[in-house]
């Protein structure tokens, strides 16, 4: 790792942190997602579900919704609900804005299936993402 590396180091998420318990509720779908994507993942845990920013938010990213047994890609969900590309892009822009607004929130690192993921235990961000996704 070079002197000018942009990789940010976050503290390890402790097992006794509330977000750790929330992550364990969606561990199976998170592991499945990790096995299918190589992009960086940032997880926003909530009760019995989580939201995952995939890629490099707030500019180039995707979002997945993890539930206890499965996960769903946000764009696929939006298309399933009949939304057009213009509306989907608008919602993705709102997700990026929510991420940007909470960019200074405390973050942690958690190793899952041999891959480091960023955990963002931010109730405000989780609520904003939930509202945007529920609008679909």
């Amino acid at each position: 790792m070079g002197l000018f590396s942009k990789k940010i180091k976050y503290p390890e998420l402790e097992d006794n942190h509330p977000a750790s318990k929330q992550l364990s509720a969606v561990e199976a779908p998170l592991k499945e997602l990790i096995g299918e994507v190589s992009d960086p993942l940032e997880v926003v845990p909530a009760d019995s579900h989580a939201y995952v920013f995939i890629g490099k938010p707030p500019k180039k990213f995707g979002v997945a919704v993890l539930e206890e047994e499965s996960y769903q890609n946000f764009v696929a969900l939006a298309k399933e609900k009949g939304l057009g590309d213009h509306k989907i892009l608008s919602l993705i822009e709102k997700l990026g804005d929510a991420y940007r607004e909470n960019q200074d929130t405390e973050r942690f690192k958690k190793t899952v299936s041999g891959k480091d993921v960023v955990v963002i235990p931010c109730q405000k961000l989780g609520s904003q993402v939930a509202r945007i996704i529920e609008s679909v």
Side-chain angles (χ1 to χ4, degrees):
M1 202 158 151
L3 178 63
F4 298 107
S5 174
K6 291 184 180 182
K7 184 167 181 149
I8 298 171
K9 299 237 182 214
Y10 297 113
E12 191 73 31
L13 181 68
E14 299 292 328
D15 290 339
N16 62 351
H17 192 286
S20 202
K21 183 178 179 183
Q22 291 171 314
L23 278 180
S24 66
V26 293
E27 186 174 6
L30 179 57
K31 286 180 176 180
E32 184 180 344
L33 181 61
I34 287 170
E36 293 180 10
V37 300
S38 60
D39 291 324
L41 302 177
E42 296 190 37
V43 184
V44 182
D47 293 329
S48 75
H49 66 281
Y51 305 106
V52 182
F53 286 89
I54 304 165
K56 297 179 180 178
K59 294 188 180 200
K60 188 175 181 183
F61 68 96
V63 173
V65 180
L66 302 179
E67 295 179 347
E68 290 179 3
E69 300 297 322
S70 64
Y71 75 88
Q72 189 162 21
N73 177 300
F74 172 72
V75 173
L77 173 67
K79 287 187 177 189
E80 188 178 289
K81 299 287 184 179
L83 296 181
D85 290 341
H86 181 70
K87 179 65 175 171
I88 292 171
L89 287 174
S90 171
L91 291 171
I92 289 173
E93 189 173 303
K94 288 179 183 179
L95 288 165
D97 290 343
Y99 181 92
R100 227 180 325 278
E101 186 178 318
N102 295 282
Q103 218 159 358
D104 294 332
T105 299
E106 185 174 36
R107 286 163 164 71
F108 297 92
K109 176 182 79 164
K110 178 85 173 171
T111 303
V112 180
S113 293
K115 181 175 181 173
D116 288 343
V117 297
V118 175
V119 180
I120 310 170
C122 177
Q123 188 174 10
K124 180 181 174 189
L125 178 57
S127 296
Q128 289 172 315
V129 172
R131 276 195 303 276
I132 294 165
I133 290 175
E134 287 169 6
S135 74
V136 173

